[in-house]
Amino acid sequence: MMDLKYGASREKPREDAAMKRFRGHRVGQFIHWGLYALPAGRWEGKDVEFAAEFLPRVAKIPQHRWEALANDFTLADFDAERWADTAVALGARYMTITTKHHDGFCLWPSAHTDFHMGNTPSGRDVLGELVAAYEARGIDVNFYYSVLDWRHPDWRFTLENDADNLAFARYLDFAMKQLVELAERYPSVKGFWFDGTWDESVKANGWWTWEVERMLKERIPGVVVNSRLRADDFGARHVDSNGLLMGDYESGYERRLPEPWDRSVAAHDWEACMTIPQASWGYHQGPWAQSTLKHPWDVVDMIAHCTSLGGNFLLNFGPRGDGSMAPAEVEIARTVGQWLGVNGEAIYGCGFAEGWEYPGWGYFTQDSSTGQVFAVVTREPASGRIRLELPTGMELVGLQLLGSAGHPFNEHPFKRLAGSVFEVDLGGATSAGPLVFALETGAITGPVAEKE
Ligand SMILES: C[C@@H]1N[C@@H](C(=O)NCc2ccccc2)[C@H](O)[C@@H]1O
């Protein structure tokens, strides 16, 4: 092992109450909202088919014209209570909000820049209103913060000379001051989600990323910090040069999940974040985005996929420029939330089912407290039957279709094929969306008859 000053702070996952709470949440609501929601992917009458929050870069918009959008950011239809209600509808247990994205605009009245909510028509403290509304509903709030800042004069992508180093040192000082400000203004925040840390300039300053994590954990005991913040002494990101995960959970899964399903991912905490349209985090009004919204059952599959490997799933919402939630995204939230209302016991507080192989037709999850195993069937085979292969030496005693207490389906819906392999006929099972079964298992105690 190399002696690292700025490497991982621990070898094993955290087991304190705050981390266990984050781990048990499993489902979060990501929100990307800022000036980019106003043009919403369209500039000078033309749709720019790229992530809406990247518009100023992709459309090469002059800085003064982008800054002028702040005058139109009236929050006419912004209501933190309604946003929080969509999180409740989704069944989200936490929410992560973009405090400052790559364009540098701050959703709070920062003392360290002039590019913030205080210099907009309403002057409202969006972060303060959101923290109050979400926490009133028992939903934890995390802050997304982009280290990358296209607007700040001292930002550098690379460090070519002493002047660059001096400027970037000023930038890191500015960003540290903003992070202290966020921790002081909103001390109930439960986590920080860092982004925009892939450039050479940040990788060459692993010490700063280590200092940020240390500062936040000193000021907010229990706070959870994602791996994406971190670089070590040698510029290694997420995982240090000794192969140890930095931060508290791995956050490299952006618009992707572990494919193929790989049990090694379950060795540490992790989270995948996902857009509802194909590839825009900020609201994009064009058909390029609006024609690619995910189906609720695809979202359910992703939630179960993450849970089965011990990860959280953070589904992104991009509110519109006036502050209203996009109706199509609210509808998806409601449908997913209704499914979680019936089947959430297979997700919340659940994780990797040790000893159970990937079944192909969905996922096994296991309640981390009770040990209860669930089968989440997200890809029903054409045969209408699923093979349940239990860990060797175990047998299936019974199964209960969630949400169907007393459903006749539970009387004798399965048969043994051999040893610990059973077949379940799904014919009689009905449910809105993917089926979930709670499995009752036991040890095989004597000789078993071969295929009946
Ligand atoms: C969580 C996401 N991370 C930011 C990001 O820059 N991702 C890399 C990216 C690079 C190119 C196009 C879209 C996204 C996106 O804007 C979201 O905030």
Side-chain angles (χ1 to χ4, degrees), residues 53 57 61 71 173 181 200-201 203 209 236 268 286-287 294 300 323 343 395 404 411 420 437 441:
E53 71 281 1
R57 299 290 284 185
I61 299 171
N71 302 320
D173 184 51
E181 183 179 46
E200 292 311 312
S201 52
K203 292 197 289 186
T209 73
H268 54 247
K294 290 175 178 61
V300 165
N343 302 289
E395 69 177 344
S404 64
E411 285 163 11
S420 297
F437 298 96
T441 61

Side-chain angles (χ1 to χ4, degrees), residues 356 372-374 388 390 394-400 414 422 437-442:
W356 293 70
Q372 172 64 58
V373 175
F374 300 91
L388 269 181
L390 281 63
M394 289 177 74
E395 69 177 344
L396 186 63
V397 175
L399 70 166
Q400 168 78 40
F414 65 92
F422 294 80
F437 298 96
L439 306 182
E440 187 188 351
T441 61

Side-chain angles (χ1 to χ4, degrees), residues 344-400:
E345 65 184 283
I347 302 296
Y348 302 122
C350 293
F352 174 61
E354 186 68 54
W356 293 70
E357 293 302 324
Y358 174 64
W361 37 256
Y363 310 92
F364 291 115
T365 68
Q366 183 166 32
D367 186 301
S368 306
S369 306
T370 66
Q372 172 64 58
V373 175
F374 300 91
V376 185
V377 186
T378 59
R379 290 182 292 279
E380 191 170 324
S383 64
R385 294 175 168 82
I386 57 171
R387 280 168 68 94
L388 269 181
E389 196 156 342
L390 281 63
T392 307
M394 289 177 74
E395 69 177 344
L396 186 63
V397 175
L399 70 166
Q400 168 78 40

Side-chain angles (χ1 to χ4, degrees), residues 404 406-413:
S404 64
H407 188 288
F409 180 84
N410 297 308
E411 285 163 11
H412 42 78

Side-chain angles (χ1 to χ4, degrees), residues 216-238:
L216 291 172
K217 291 185 171 177
E218 270 179 7
R219 287 176 178 272
I220 308 177
V223 77
V224 174
V225 176
N226 70 333
S227 64
R228 198 176 288 207
L229 161 67
R230 301 282 279 101
D232 75 358
D233 313 48
F234 301 99
R237 295 183 63 230
H238 295 278

Side-chain angles (χ1 to χ4, degrees), residues 113-449:
T113 174
D114 59 354
F115 200 38
H116 60 74
M117 281 308 305
N119 294 323
T120 64
S122 75
R124 290 163 67 178
D125 175 2
V126 169
L127 290 193
E129 292 184 41
L130 289 172
V131 167
Y134 278 78
E135 291 186 351
R137 291 160 175 79
I139 298 173
D140 290 348
V141 175
N142 294 352
F143 285 164
Y144 164 110
Y145 182 86
S146 174
V147 177
L148 166 59
D149 189 317
W150 294 326
R151 177 177 186 266
H152 197 287
D154 290 328
W155 168 263
R156 294 292 183 279
F157 291 96
T158 59
L159 304 172
E160 305 298 338
N161 51 48
D162 289 348
D164 282 347
N165 284 312
L166 278 174
F168 199 63
R170 289 193 299 268
Y171 177 76
L172 294 177
D173 184 51
F174 153 78
M176 179 67 84
K177 286 188 170 85
Q178 282 207 313
L179 291 164
V180 168
E181 183 179 46
L182 285 170
E184 287 181 343
R185 285 181 60 91
Y186 313 101
S188 65
V189 72
K190 297 295 182 294
F192 280 79
W193 205 103
F194 288 92
D195 198 11
T197 55
W198 45 77
D199 289 298
E200 292 311 312
S201 52
V202 181
K203 292 197 289 186
N205 286 276
W207 68 271
W208 181 84
T209 73
W210 185 88
E211 282 293 346
V212 166
E213 180 178 3
R214 187 189 57 76
M215 177 276 291
L216 291 172
K217 291 185 171 177
E218 270 179 7
R219 287 176 178 272
I220 308 177
V223 77
V224 174
V225 176
N226 70 333
S227 64
R228 198 176 288 207
L229 161 67
R230 301 282 279 101
D232 75 358
D233 313 48
F234 301 99
R237 295 183 63 230
H238 295 278
V239 175
D240 72 14
S241 302
N242 287 322
L244 297 176
L245 179 70
M246 296 183 277
D248 299 312
Y249 63 94
E250 205 274 310
S251 64
Y253 292 104
E254 175 175 325
R255 293 199 305 116
R256 64 186 177 89
L257 268 57
E259 287 296 353
W261 189 89
D262 173 1
R263 64 180 56 247
S264 68
V265 171
H268 54 247
D269 292 297
W270 61 281
E271 176 197 73
C273 58
M274 189 60 67
T275 52
I276 289 180
Q278 175 57 34
S280 186
W281 298 86
Y283 178 66
H284 192 301
Q285 62 188 304
W288 171 77
Q290 293 308 315
S291 64
T292 66
L293 306 185
K294 290 175 178 61
H295 189 284
W297 302 151
D298 290 334
V299 173
V300 165
D301 179 80
M302 293 176 191
I303 290 171
H305 186 153
C306 290
T307 302
S308 76
L309 283 171
N312 284 9
F313 182 73
L314 189 60
L315 182 65
N316 184 70
F317 290 73
R320 298 183 292 195
D322 63 3
S324 62
M325 280 278 176
E329 294 189 348
V330 174
E331 193 47 38
I332 291 166
R334 285 204 184 100
T335 305
V336 171
Q338 282 159 4
W339 184 89
L340 283 167
V342 172
N343 302 289
E345 65 184 283
I347 302 296
Y348 302 122
C350 293
F352 174 61
E354 186 68 54
W356 293 70
E357 293 302 324
Y358 174 64
W361 37 256
Y363 310 92
F364 291 115
T365 68
Q366 183 166 32
D367 186 301
S368 306
S369 306
T370 66
Q372 172 64 58
V373 175
F374 300 91
V376 185
V377 186
T378 59
R379 290 182 292 279
E380 191 170 324
S383 64
R385 294 175 168 82
I386 57 171
R387 280 168 68 94
L388 269 181
E389 196 156 342
L390 281 63
T392 307
M394 289 177 74
E395 69 177 344
L396 186 63
V397 175
L399 70 166
Q400 168 78 40
L401 181 66
L402 296 194
S404 64
H407 188 288
F409 180 84
N410 297 308
E411 285 163 11
H412 42 78
F414 65 92
K415 67 179 182 180
R416 186 197 306 276
L417 297 182
S420 297
V421 184
F422 294 80
E423 181 180 78
V424 180
D425 184 339
L426 302 175
T430 57
S431 156
L435 302 173
V436 181
F437 298 96
L439 306 182
E440 187 188 351
T441 61
I444 294 177
T445 50
V448 296

